[in-house]
Amino acid sequence: MDELDFLKNHWQKEQHFPQIKAKEIQAMAHRSSSSVVKWIFVISILEFFLGWAISFLLPSIEYRSTFEEVFVTALEVVFYVVIIYFIYQFFASFRTIRNTKDTKSLLTSIIRSRAHVERYIKFNIYYFSVGIFTASCFTLYEKVVVDANGSTGRLVFYVFMFVLMMAIVSFFFIFIVRLYYRIVYGLLLKRLNKNYEELLQLEQEVE
Amino acid sequence: MNPELEQQFVLLLEENQNILHKICKLYAADRDAHKDLFQEMVIQLWKAYPTFKGQSKFTTWAYRVSLNTAISLYRVKKRRVETVTWDYAVHNIQYEEYSSEEEDKLSYLYAAVQELNDIEKALVFMYLEDKDYAEIAETLGVSEVNARVRMNRIKTKLKVILSQRGAL
């Protein structure tokens, strides 16, 4: 008899657990869940709000040309269409999370709905960067044409300031986003991803 | 919620609660974690209960939801040191019919199983519960062959852990 069968013999006989009364089970059933999925849901909703709030941080500019107005409006339309798409995708995939599925399907559905939110956040960052970049380009163009007056010194100064500002903003955002994901992944998804990878690995095994 | 359904659920679970305790025994590191995990499993089972139509046995259904809770949904709270894990695993054992040598072996085995990863624990749990490979594979969402292969590897892994501890 191998070790596990020896343990099995004992396991089958062992029924000595403190028994929980029906009343207590009933009370437990109505307590609030602290599952990973619940946390993912709450955090995702907060992220959606954050993404939406970021759109207000974009500098509001007075349009200096019709081209600028059309361009910025088009960007905004794209932004809202994509946001609505992401939110729809998130809710649609979130609804497929069921604790009665097999383990692999359950893990897949959790990871998939989380991935929608990550794509949403990435999109927001790209959008924000494009927004800052566009606004800066318009400003730079105006400065070069109107203020620089052909002076090379000023032109170099403006371009230098522009590059510096873009670099600072980019670094700041990359830092914040990395830190944020490290915390979220560390707390919530590390174990989940590990188990998912373990299952994938298990499937690749051959005798 | 339908009070009749609730009553039915509570009674079924009261009767079959050892399934949950046994899963807790493998996944929870200490008594507090055992209680926490037990409660989360009850919450998850109750949440899913309206969809339980009795196509399968209550226990088969409960195995799946409870294991899913332990593997995918439960958030492990880190609060104790590892030595307590060991104590907890050993403490729960009842040894009435075993020789002292067998007692030691059992203690080491329980401790060795605690060192396996979450998926391996699920396989071991169902094996100990005398489930066949078809059911194990279906619960985890993998193929039967792979479940069998992994189970053999676990047996070897346990042997290695035990021999490292000098228990073989």
Side-chain angles (χ1 to χ4, degrees):
Chain A
M1 183 164 67
D2 70 20
E3 283 69 34
L4 214 49
D5 287 313
F6 174 68
L7 184 63
K8 191 173 177 175
N9 265 339
H10 176 259
W11 181 270
Q12 303 272 335
K13 281 184 256 167
E14 187 195 30
Q15 301 288 342
H16 311 278
F17 293 105
Q19 295 298 288
I20 315 276
K21 299 265 180 307
K23 267 225 149 347
E24 213 172 324
I25 290 179
Q26 188 175 16
M28 274 183 185
H30 294 288
R31 282 195 197 133
S32 170
S33 159
S34 64
S35 80
V36 171
V37 171
K38 192 179 167 185
W39 280 100
I40 288 176
F41 185 78
V42 170
I43 289 172
S44 302
I45 297 296
L46 288 175
E47 284 173 351
F48 282 133
F49 272 109
L50 185 80
W52 185 58
I54 277 180
S55 65
F56 285 107
L57 287 179
L58 284 176
S60 57
I61 34 173
E62 278 177 33
Y63 302 124
R64 283 158 292 206
S65 64
T66 325
F67 169 71
E68 203 177 321
E69 190 175 352
V70 170
F71 188 83
V72 173
T73 314
L75 262 185
E76 278 174 358
V77 170
V78 169
F79 177 74
Y80 284 109
V81 167
V82 176
I83 271 195
I84 289 165
Y85 171 75
F86 277 123
I87 294 177
Y88 166 77
Q89 284 283 308
F90 170 72
F91 279 104
S93 62
F94 200 83
R95 279 167 62 98
T96 67
I97 298 176
R98 286 195 216 305
N99 58 18
T100 47
K101 284 180 165 181
D102 64 71
T103 306
K104 197 179 161 210
S105 313
L106 173 65
L107 282 169
T108 310
S109 54
I110 297 173
I111 288 168
R112 196 171 290 159
S113 36
R114 182 61 218 167
H116 289 303
V117 187
E118 275 151 35
R119 276 195 285 266
Y120 167 84
I121 289 291
K122 271 189 198 147
F123 170 76
N124 263 290
I125 287 157
Y126 291 141
Y127 181 80
F128 190 79
S129 310
V130 168
I132 292 274
F133 184 78
T134 317
S136 309
C137 278
F138 281 126
T139 312
L140 186 73
Y141 175 76
E142 195 187 47
K143 294 281 181 204
V144 170
V145 171
V146 182
D147 289 359
N149 249 345
S151 148
T152 323
R154 275 196 180 176
L155 182 65
V156 169
F157 174 74
Y158 286 135
V159 171
F160 174 74
M161 288 307 286
F162 176 67
V163 171
L164 186 72
M165 198 182 90
M166 292 310 324
I168 291 171
V169 168
S170 310
F171 274 118
F172 177 72
F173 266 92
I174 290 168
F175 173 74
I176 295 286
V177 170
R178 279 213 176 145
L179 184 74
Y180 172 79
Y181 275 104
R182 199 171 300 159
I183 292 168
V184 170
Y185 275 113
L187 288 179
L188 282 177
L189 296 171
K190 202 171 141 203
R191 184 160 160 256
L192 218 127
N193 282 329
K194 204 180 116 201
N195 287 340
Y196 184 67
E197 275 161 30
E198 176 67 22
L199 274 177
L200 291 185
Q201 201 193 330
L202 196 149
E203 285 210 310
Q204 282 156 12
E205 280 172 359
V206 265
E207 220 150 354
Chain B
M1 194 77 74
N2 183 347
E4 213 171 286
L5 194 74
E6 190 179 344
Q7 192 59 19
Q8 192 186 44
F9 169 78
V10 168
L11 291 177
L12 269 171
L13 199 57
E14 188 189 26
E15 197 186 323
N16 294 292
Q17 61 175 286
N18 275 354
I19 296 175
L20 275 59
H21 285 302
K22 283 178 170 183
I23 295 176
C24 290
K25 189 179 166 71
L26 292 188
Y27 285 92
D30 54 49
R31 264 163 226 289
D32 285 342
H34 185 125
K35 269 194 231 160
D36 262 7
L37 177 56
F38 188 93
Q39 178 170 308
E40 188 62 44
M41 286 192 224
V42 174
I43 295 168
Q44 293 296 332
L45 284 161
W46 174 233
K47 208 169 96 182
Y49 193 64
T51 63
F52 172 68
K53 302 276 192 300
Q55 324 88 314
S56 54
K57 266 168 65 186
F58 177 78
T59 48
T60 309
W61 175 83
Y63 277 124
R64 179 177 283 217
V65 178
S66 309
L67 272 177
N68 273 338
T69 308
I71 295 172
S72 319
L73 306 173
Y74 175 62
R75 228 159 41 87
V76 183
K77 294 164 190 130
K78 291 190 181 103
R79 35 182 172 206
R80 301 286 163 92
V81 286
E82 214 170 297
T83 48
V84 184
T85 309
W86 174 270
D87 287 348
Y88 171 72
V90 176
H91 189 81
N92 256 356
I93 305 173
Q94 307 267 332
Y95 297 109
E96 290 122 25
E97 302 156 27
Y98 294 88
S99 70
S100 69
E101 206 178 300
E102 284 174 326
E103 276 182 24
D104 283 350
K105 197 174 169 187
L106 269 177
S107 304
Y108 281 122
L109 265 168
Y110 272 111
V113 169
Q114 291 268 339
E115 283 182 31
L116 299 173
N117 68 40
D118 289 346
I119 303 295
E120 290 171 335
K121 280 181 185 173
L123 279 152
V124 167
F125 170 74
M126 284 186 280
Y127 183 84
L128 295 177
E129 288 288 298
D130 209 21
K131 300 288 159 202
D132 58 26
Y133 282 106
E135 191 174 336
I136 296 177
E138 205 198 319
T139 308
L140 289 179
V142 297
S143 80
E144 212 178 310
V145 179
N146 285 322
R148 205 180 286 269
V149 172
R150 179 50 69 101
M151 202 62 221
N152 287 332
R153 299 227 168 127
I154 293 171
K155 285 180 181 175
T156 317
K157 197 170 168 180
L158 285 176
K159 268 201 178 82
V160 172
I161 298 176
L162 287 176
S163 63
Q164 277 168 353
R165 294 250 164 89
L168 270 184

